[in-house]
């Protein structure tokens, strides 16, 4: 028996593969997972929910108080006109991306994705029988997606454009003029924008802009995993205009029914509780970024300084050998080709690990 063609056309995640083969004493610079403990007030909210018996199904869309809090956040912080009825709480941003592809893409439709870009985008497009088309992110534009990049890639078959700012794996942050311009291009060509904004709070030297601020047809995806160190809670959301949200809900309700009830209560506390933990995490990430850039430079490896997220994406002479040699020294990294054709001369290193471990990892890489 054979699997479906759409499943056989994709590979298991290279990121997860590297994680699985790492030795017991290896330091992982592969996974994009904050090493911080989830803030105690968020843990307490989840615990209280369980102790009070809030352990059953919720509405398919999510509990109303969380959806209202998300809509309020989008309105105040992102300039996106939203309401509880246009928000769907999902099982992380991963489900949100999959839901968008299944609801919006027909066989043969082209989906423009950043190249380099997060590997789930291409896989989810293929699982919807769509055709992923890479938008080449250029060094002369400081590795930021621009309006011209999008215009070069659009065809009559283009159905959706994925934006990801700050970027995984590059760490670049799109400029306002390009986010606004791409939103206008999408509106003019009747193309969906799917804007993955999971790193919006992890920004050092720039400012985040949401496509939904400039287009009613933009779909905003976000999650609590990165901002609040809640990766294991698996909680995210989609915001879209009411007509699109109804189509997205059809997919969500059949693959997930609803997000975890107690995780939804935790997410509500994350939004409405104190935000000092976010500021301290971002401050620590910036220190780690500066360390890894300095150490790579000391090894003669040129690396663009990321403005957001927690990845560096340096160009190296032989990425496969660099990753292999690193693994032998007990340092896990990811070959840049996993993120698209444009990443083939690069490697991705995550600095979402403790400062002292990061220092040790760089010592190992520098050793003979």
């Amino acid at each position: 028996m054979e699997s479906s063609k759409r499943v056989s056309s994709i590979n298991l995640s290279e990121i997860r593969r590297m994680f699985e083969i790492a030795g017991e004493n290896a330091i992982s610079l592969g996974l994009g997972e904050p090493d911080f403990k989830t803030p105690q007030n968020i843990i307490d909210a989840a615990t209280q929910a369980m102790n009070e018996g809030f352990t059953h199904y919720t509405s398919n869309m999510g509990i109303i108080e969380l959806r209202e809090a998300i809509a309020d956040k989008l309105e105040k912080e992102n300039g996106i006109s939203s309401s509880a009825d246009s928000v769907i709480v999902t099982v992380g941003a991963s489900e949100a991306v999959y839901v968008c592809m299944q609801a919006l893409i027909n066989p043969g439709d082209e989906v423009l994705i950043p190249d380099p870009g997060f590997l789930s985008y291409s896989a989810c497009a293929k699982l919807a029988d769509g055709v992923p088309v890479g938008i080449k992110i250029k060094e002369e534009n400081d590795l930021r997606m621009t309006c011209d990049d999008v215009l070069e890639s659009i065809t009559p078959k283009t159905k959706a454009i994925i934006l990801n700012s700050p970027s995984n794996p590059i760490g670049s942050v799109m400029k306002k003029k390009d986010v606004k311009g791409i939103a206008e291009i999408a509106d003019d060509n009747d193309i969906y924008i799917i804007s993955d904004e999971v790193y919006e709070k992890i920004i050092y030297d720039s400012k985040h802009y949401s496509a939904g601020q400039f287009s009613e047809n933009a779909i905003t995806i976000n999650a609590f995993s990165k901002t609040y160190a809640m990766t294991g809670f698996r909680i995210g959301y989609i915001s879209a205009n009411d007509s699109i949200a109804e189509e997205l809900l059809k997919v969500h309700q059949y693959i997930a029914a609803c997000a975890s009830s107690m995780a939804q209560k935790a997410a509500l506390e994350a939004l409405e509780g104190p935000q000092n933990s976010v500021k301290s995490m971002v401050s620590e990430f910036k220190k780690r970024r500066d360390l890894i850039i300095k150490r790579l430079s000391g090894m003669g490896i040129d690396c663009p300084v990321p403005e957001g997220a927690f990845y560096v994406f340096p160009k190296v002479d032989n990425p496969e050998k660099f990753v292999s040699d690193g693994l032998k020294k007990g340092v896990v990294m990811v070959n840049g080709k996993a993120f698209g054709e444009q990443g083939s001369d690069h490697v991705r290193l995550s600095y979402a690990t403790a400062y002292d471990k990061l220092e040790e990892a760089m010592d190992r890489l520098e050793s003979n």
Side-chain angles (χ1 to χ4, degrees):
M1 299 289 287
E2 294 182 355
S3 63
S4 66
K5 290 181 179 179
R6 62 183 179 277
V7 171
S8 62
S9 71
I10 64 174
N11 298 314
L12 290 172
S13 167
E14 179 70 11
I15 299 171
R16 287 288 172 176
R17 187 184 75 84
M18 294 303 298
F19 177 73
E20 296 294 341
I21 67 175
E24 184 178 341
N25 297 316
I27 299 173
S28 177
L29 305 184
L31 281 181
E33 178 175 35
D35 65 309
F36 301 104
K37 180 182 177 183
T38 306
Q40 191 61 46
N41 63 306
I42 297 173
I43 293 173
D44 291 344
T47 302
Q48 181 178 344
M50 288 186 280
N51 286 335
E52 293 177 351
F54 196 74
T55 56
H56 303 281
Y57 291 131
T58 71
S59 157
N60 289 139
M61 295 183 73
I63 58 176
I64 184 65
E65 55 264 46
L66 176 56
R67 289 187 285 121
E68 287 176 342
I70 291 169
D72 185 60
K73 179 264 181 199
L74 290 170
E75 189 95 36
K76 291 179 179 178
E77 296 185 12
N78 301 89
I80 298 173
S81 179
S82 184
S83 70
D85 290 337
S86 64
V87 173
I88 301 171
V89 182
T90 60
V91 184
S94 296
E95 189 219 342
V97 173
Y98 181 83
V99 163
C100 287
M101 296 297 180
Q102 292 296 320
L104 306 177
I105 304 304
N106 291 311
D109 285 344
E110 292 180 351
V111 181
L112 302 188
I113 62 175
D115 181 2
F118 186 48
L119 45 81
S120 285
Y121 303 147
S122 176
C124 286
K126 290 179 180 179
L127 287 171
D129 285 330
V131 180
V133 176
I135 300 174
K136 295 181 179 180
I137 309 301
K138 302 180 179 69
E139 291 184 17
E140 57 261 37
N141 296 325
D142 296 322
L143 297 175
R144 297 186 184 95
M145 185 188 293
T146 69
C147 294
D148 288 342
D149 295 335
V150 171
L151 287 171
E152 289 174 7
S153 304
I154 285 178
T155 76
K157 293 182 178 181
T158 303
K159 186 70 172 291
I161 304 168
I162 294 183
L163 304 186
N164 178 216
S165 179
S167 159
N168 175 9
I170 304 170
S172 59
V173 177
M174 293 180 64
K175 292 185 176 295
K176 180 180 180 179
K177 65 175 184 175
D178 289 311
V179 176
K180 184 175 186 292
I182 292 169
E184 292 171 351
I185 291 168
D187 283 347
D188 290 344
N189 290 275
D190 197 24
I191 296 169
Y192 292 110
I193 287 184
I194 302 169
S195 184
D196 180 354
E197 304 182 12
V198 298
Y199 297 98
E200 66 159 340
K201 298 286 189 180
I202 307 174
I203 288 186
Y204 317 112
D205 311 307
S206 192
K207 184 177 178 181
H208 173 73
Y209 296 96
S210 295
Q213 181 180 353
F214 307 110
S215 171
E216 292 184 359
N217 293 318
I219 300 162
T220 303
I221 292 175
N222 212 324
F224 296 83
S225 298
K226 315 297 184 180
T227 300
Y228 299 99
M230 292 174 63
T231 52
F233 285 76
R234 307 311 305 130
I235 194 85
Y237 60 87
I238 308 172
S239 174
N241 70 49
D242 290 350
S243 61
I244 298 174
E246 184 174 346
E247 299 305 300
L248 300 174
L249 180 60
K250 292 177 185 178
V251 181
H252 167 70
Q253 69 177 0
Y254 287 116
I255 63 172
C258 65
S260 160
S261 57
M262 60 285 288
Q264 291 187 57
K265 287 289 189 178
L268 179 62
E269 173 61 25
L271 281 181
E272 296 188 337
Q275 303 296 306
N276 54 303
S277 62
V278 178
K279 294 179 181 179
S280 62
M281 282 190 280
V282 172
S283 177
E284 178 62 22
F285 280 139
K286 186 175 182 180
K287 285 174 57 180
R288 297 175 186 180
R289 178 201 68 172
D290 293 345
L291 168 67
I292 200 169
I293 291 290
K294 181 180 179 180
R295 293 297 300 273
L296 287 172
S297 178
M299 294 181 222
I301 299 173
D302 184 41
C303 183
V305 179
E307 296 177 309
F310 38 66
Y311 309 102
V312 290
F313 202 63
K315 181 180 286 188
V316 296
D317 290 336
N318 187 332
E320 190 167 342
K321 184 177 185 300
F322 191 84
V323 170
S324 177
D325 288 347
L327 197 58
K328 292 173 185 175
K329 297 175 181 179
V331 180
V332 180
M333 299 170 286
V334 183
N335 194 321
K337 68 180 181 181
F339 303 97
E341 182 182 336
Q342 295 294 107
S344 58
D345 293 329
H346 298 255
V347 293
R348 191 192 78 169
L349 291 76
S350 167
Y351 49 91
T353 192
Y355 194 92
D356 58 341
K357 286 189 176 181
L358 195 58
E359 284 186 307
E360 171 64 21
M362 302 314 291
D363 287 343
R364 293 183 186 183
L365 289 179
E366 201 166 9
S367 65
N368 293 324

